[in-house]
Amino acid sequence: MTDLRSGQLADAVGVNVQTLRYYERRGLLDAPRRSPGGHRLYPAETVTLLRVVKTAQRLGFTLAEVADLLDAGRHRPGRDAGLRALAREKLAEVEQRLADLAVIRDTLRDAISAGCDDLIACAGSSCCPLPFVDPAERTDPAEPR
């Protein structure tokens, strides 16, 4: 496969050309060489690199985390570049978010089952499942009053 112009690369990966330039500024992509006409020319393997970046983003990694992983991989090829450790951390974050979402889901189901149609009326009802907390009742010192 030959070098790809910006539009071709963007189409192949499913991003726009501005994303490519942004990734260059962030250091995720090396500055491409230029054609005699001034067009950016990217090596064909850039498609794989960008697919890795987009997949990592879908898995919840920030661009800064992806950049760190790519940088570590470039400087320590074939060695542990920190992916496993970062993946463990990300997995813990995802599991916590899932637990939080499960609580929200269950509370919303309870609110529907309790027939809550009005937040104010529900708050005054003994059967209201919504966690209305009076600031004076907070016991967590880390929470602001």
Side-chain angles (χ1 to χ4, degrees):
M1 193 181 227
T2 60
D3 288 340
L4 302 170
R5 289 174 57 172
S6 298
Q8 294 169 312
L9 177 60
D11 287 344
V13 180
V15 299
N16 63 50
V17 172
Q18 292 307 314
T19 300
L20 300 178
R21 295 204 177 108
Y22 178 69
Y23 287 177
E24 284 177 41
R25 288 192 305 271
R26 293 285 307 259
L28 294 164
L29 287 179
D30 292 332
R33 66 183 191 82
R34 300 284 183 144
S35 72
H39 297 284
R40 287 175 161 87
L41 296 174
Y42 296 90
E45 55 272 4
T46 308
V47 171
T48 301
L49 172 68
L50 289 173
R51 287 181 178 157
V52 166
V53 169
K54 298 312 288 178
T55 297
Q57 284 184 295
R58 281 192 301 276
L59 291 173
F61 291 101
T62 66
L63 280 180
E65 291 168 333
V66 173
D68 288 345
L69 288 169
L70 291 174
D71 189 51
R74 288 178 185 133
H75 291 97
R76 293 181 283 169
R79 300 175 76 199
D80 179 15
L83 176 60
R84 283 182 291 202
L86 195 53
R88 282 187 198 104
E89 290 174 21
K90 192 59 63 181
L91 179 59
E93 289 174 23
V94 168
E95 287 174 344
Q96 182 58 55
R97 282 195 310 241
L98 286 171
D100 293 345
L101 286 171
V103 169
I104 292 169
R105 178 200 60 216
D106 294 345
T107 302
L108 289 171
R109 284 181 178 161
D110 291 345
I112 292 167
S113 295
C116 296
D117 286 331
D118 180 289
L119 281 177
I120 302 300
C122 188
S125 168
S126 62
C127 69
C128 179
L130 299 178
F132 296 106
V133 177
D134 184 349
E137 294 175 13
R138 286 190 180 144
T139 58
D140 185 353
E143 290 187 33
R145 288 188 173 244

